């Protein structure tokens, strides 16, 4: 099993360290935070603040390097990758893919890069929020562009499977369009719902009765609004074109609903469409998986991803 070097030890990076360790992988990590490194070492994990040293070790051991830092931190991290592990096997766990691919091409062009994104997380952050089971049952996007390095693609897929996830092959553009709808737009809608319900910014600015009555519907609809704002801003700003299109569609649907409510009071079309969308999501979670040989053309793998079919492992 290939060793793993994780750069970043927050919720995602910290969970990766724990999950890889639980799967029997040799794993170490680097973080810029002395406090985080101390917490991780106290928990029995090999985590350092010497990113260059961790990357040199990755180069020496031919490990898979996983970047688990916010998008704005990537240029500095990639410069260190280029300086200390220039030809390494490289992937990431960042929530946008096009911007990461461009950054890798600019700052670490010699790396053998295959994009990745585990679709898992919570509203919490930091090392203490991580746990080994975070990725169990989750979709893990693995980049499937024409010309992708098949050896590194296999490394990333095998890490995803080892962490309990299933693989979804997709291009960077396909990924970014999809997550704009199912991840980034929900963060913005949750922010709007939370601020509207709480009266934030209104002249009286007094939550009073609404906040006293807020229960499960409010809690479920606003959960991700509890995410640290700088993390939400980083992922949304990094996917601006795709997110703008998703926001425009949502505004169009809200406009139609508002017009119906004002004229006839009829909300059936909006409510029924929402119910249907939720049922499609529930059905997708029960989609039977498939196995692959690893020799499939990239177009075939992308078709599997677009169909929503989870890739569960190798067909040997």
């Amino acid at each position: 099993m290939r060793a793993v070097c994780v750069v970043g030890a927050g919720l995602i990076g910290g969970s990766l360290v724990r999950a890889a360790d639980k799967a029997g992988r040799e794993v170490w990590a680097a973080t810029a935070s002395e406090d985080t490194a101390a917490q991780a070492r106290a928990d029995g994990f090999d985590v350092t603040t010497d990113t260059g040293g961790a990357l040199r070790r990755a180069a020496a051991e031919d490990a898979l390097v996983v970047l688990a830092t916010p998008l704005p931190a990537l240029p500095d991290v990639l410069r260190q990758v280029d300086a200390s592990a220039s030809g390494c096997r490289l992937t990431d766990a960042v929530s946008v893919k096009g911007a990461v691919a461009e950054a890798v091409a600019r700052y670490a062009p010699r790396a053998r890069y295959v994009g990745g994104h585990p679709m898992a997380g919570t509203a919490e952050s930091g090392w203490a929020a991580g746990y080994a089971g975070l990725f169990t049952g989750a979709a893990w996007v693995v980049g499937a562009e024409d010309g992708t390095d098949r050896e590194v693609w296999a490394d990333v897929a095998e890490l995803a499977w080892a962490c309990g996830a299933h693989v979804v092959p997709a291009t960077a553009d396909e990924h970014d369009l999809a997550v704009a709808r199912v991840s980034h737009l929900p963060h913005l809608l949750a922010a709007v719902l939370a601020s509207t319900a709480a009266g934030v910014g209104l002249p009286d600015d007094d939550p009073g009765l609404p906040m006293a009555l807020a229960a499960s519907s409010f809690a479920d609809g606003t959960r991700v609004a509890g995410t640290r704002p700088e993390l939400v801003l980083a992922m949304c700003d990094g996917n601006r074109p795709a997110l703008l299109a998703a926001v425009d569609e949502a505004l169009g649907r809200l406009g139609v609903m508002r017009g119906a409510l004002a004229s006839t009071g009829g909300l059936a079309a909006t409510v029924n469409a929402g119910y249907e969308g939720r049922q499609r999501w529930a059905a997708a979670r029960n989609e039977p998986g498939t196995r692959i040989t690893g020799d499939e053309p990239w177009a075939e793998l992308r078709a599997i991803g677009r169909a929503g079919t989870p890739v569960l492992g190798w067909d040997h």
Side-chain angles (χ1 to χ4, degrees):
M1 293 185 289
R2 191 169 302 283
V4 179
C5 170
V6 182
V7 181
L11 170 65
I12 300 299
S15 295
L16 269 171
V17 169
R18 293 173 172 96
D21 177 77
K22 185 177 180 180
R25 298 287 186 104
E26 180 186 9
V27 58
W28 62 93
T31 175
S33 168
E34 293 280 2
D35 289 343
T36 296
Q39 291 176 45
R41 288 194 295 268
D43 288 340
F45 295 96
D46 186 355
V47 179
T48 179
T49 56
D50 181 7
T51 300
L55 290 169
R56 287 189 292 273
R57 178 180 172 187
E61 298 191 25
D62 197 19
L64 176 65
V65 177
V66 184
L67 306 182
T69 63
L71 182 63
L74 275 188
D76 286 342
V77 172
L78 287 168
R79 289 187 186 98
Q80 294 183 75
V81 169
D82 195 53
S84 300
S86 60
C88 70
R89 301 166 185 260
L90 181 68
T91 188
D92 70 295
V94 181
S95 65
V96 294
K97 296 275 67 73
V100 175
E102 291 173 3
V104 171
R106 179 176 180 181
Y107 298 108
R110 294 173 289 181
R112 299 171 63 185
Y113 172 70
V114 174
H117 181 204
M119 298 298 299
T122 72
E124 306 302 319
S125 59
W127 170 266
Y131 61 101
L134 180 66
F135 310 107
T136 301
W140 193 309
V141 177
V142 183
E145 317 280 349
D146 289 339
T148 296
D149 187 316
R150 285 195 180 268
E151 282 190 10
V152 181
W153 196 94
D155 289 335
V156 180
E158 288 171 358
L159 177 62
W161 294 325
C163 291
H166 60 263
V167 167
V168 178
T171 67
D173 286 346
E174 289 172 332
H175 167 276
D176 289 354
L177 287 168
V179 297
R181 289 170 173 262
V182 300
S183 179
H184 303 162
L185 179 62
H187 274 87
L188 297 187
L189 293 178
V192 170
L193 175 57
S195 60
T196 300
V200 175
L202 296 181
D204 53 6
D205 203 9
D206 181 6
L209 184 60
M211 292 294 92
L213 300 182
S216 58
S217 293
F218 178 79
D220 291 347
T222 62
R223 179 184 64 82
V224 294
T227 305
R228 282 167 44 199
E230 65 270 23
L231 299 180
V232 177
L233 290 171
M235 64 182 175
C236 290
D237 286 347
N239 199 23
R240 189 172 299 174
L243 182 53
L244 275 170
V247 169
D248 285 344
E249 181 176 338
L251 287 173
R253 291 176 182 268
L254 285 171
V256 170
M257 180 269 291
R258 199 261 181 213
L261 181 61
S263 61
T264 66
L267 295 174
T270 296
V271 173
N272 289 337
Y275 180 83
E276 181 181 348
R278 177 73 181 195
Q279 298 311 303
R280 290 184 182 183
W281 171 77
R285 293 175 67 82
N286 295 318
E287 179 75 21
T290 189
R291 293 182 175 272
I292 60 173
T293 65
D295 296 325
E296 292 86 352
W298 293 115
E300 184 176 329
L301 289 177
R302 292 193 292 268
I304 291 172
R306 284 193 294 271
T309 304
V311 179
L312 306 178
W314 299 124
D315 182 14
H316 292 313

